[in-house]
Amino acid sequence: MERNWKAEYLRLMNGHRPGLPGPEAVRRGGPPREQRLTGTEVREAEGELGITFPVEYREHLLRHGNGNGCGNGGFRQLWRGPRGWGWYDDTDTNYGLLAEPFPHPDTYRAHEDDLDAREPSREDTDAWEAWDCEAGVLEELKTAGAVYINPGGCGFSTLLVVTGPHRGEMWFDGRATCDRILPLTWAGRPVSFATWVARDTGMAPW
């Protein structure tokens, strides 16, 4: 039976959340405050999200706080909003895929090449729509198990990997220009959350 790529793509897209809550929701719960979280709050967030935070990120939440805005020198705040625990104003993270292991680009490169090789003519609308949805599914799966912790603007973002072999590492989503997701490294080693925060949260791949 032929795979229904459109249905799968739409299912995956349901894992995204809306952006800023409406005025009524803000009045009820208010925007997130920059504050240290309690162990109970962190465990509750992990339980709702279905993940265990990387150690350094977890320690930061407990000792320093849940975030300090966005842009250079900041990152998205973890908070309990109208839809439960999540990252404030985060429309990029796919919450439905958070518990899935983050894939190294080597694991999907062959699929990507195959997709490029069999792109149909746009004149064949049904075939092209199915192909486009398959490509959309692949793009969503590329950031499974990762949080868009810092939106860098212009389509660039820094990812915190929360699941899989690369858990705790920071990666750079540069697909807006180079069509690649790259690891942040320092002195030949993966950059961890604590190193990223200590140096510069606006980093590009080193």
Side-chain angles (χ1 to χ4, degrees):
M1 182 177 178
E2 187 174 346
R3 197 164 178 177
N4 189 332
W5 287 109
K6 183 176 182 179
E8 187 163 347
Y9 178 65
L10 293 175
R11 179 184 65 80
L12 289 183
M13 291 303 291
N14 283 332
H16 291 278
R17 294 186 179 180
L20 288 170
E24 187 61 34
V26 171
R27 280 196 293 273
R28 287 199 306 270
R33 291 178 296 145
E34 295 175 12
Q35 61 181 354
R36 287 182 293 177
L37 300 184
T38 66
T40 298
E41 288 173 322
V42 170
R43 288 190 295 273
E44 182 183 283
E46 290 176 324
E48 279 192 22
L49 296 168
I51 58 176
T52 300
F53 296 135
V55 173
E56 292 182 353
Y57 180 63
R58 198 175 200 277
E59 289 299 309
H60 191 96
L61 296 174
L62 295 170
R63 295 183 180 182
H64 302 288
N66 59 348
N68 55 342
C70 290
N72 288 349
F75 53 92
R76 282 185 166 129
Q77 292 170 269
L78 179 70
W79 76 312
R80 183 167 44 203
R83 295 189 62 181
W85 283 97
W87 288 269
Y88 188 68
D89 196 22
D90 179 10
T91 61
D92 302 306
T93 297
N94 193 317
Y95 287 76
L97 293 172
L98 270 181
E100 298 296 322
F102 176 78
H104 191 281
D106 289 347
T107 64
Y108 53 74
R109 193 159 288 130
H111 185 183
E112 204 166 36
D113 291 343
D114 175 61
L115 267 173
D116 290 341
R118 56 184 172 84
E119 179 178 359
S121 168
R122 287 178 180 262
E123 295 178 358
D124 187 345
T125 55
D126 290 341
W128 195 87
E129 182 183 37
W131 176 89
D132 190 48
C133 287
E134 182 181 355
V137 168
L138 177 59
E139 292 303 316
E140 287 297 309
L141 293 176
K142 286 179 181 180
T143 56
V147 175
Y148 280 76
I149 202 74
N150 176 266
C154 300
F156 301 112
S157 296
T158 305
L159 308 173
L160 168 63
V161 178
V162 295
T163 317
H166 300 282
R167 181 171 171 267
E169 297 177 7
M170 308 299 295
W171 285 63
F172 179 75
D173 187 349
R175 287 178 291 179
T177 54
C178 70
D179 202 32
R180 298 177 68 190
I181 298 175
L182 303 165
L184 296 181
T185 60
W186 175 247
R189 302 184 66 180
V191 170
S192 68
F193 179 78
T195 301
W196 177 72
V197 168
R199 290 186 55 83
D200 177 7
T201 57
M203 293 188 300
W206 298 351

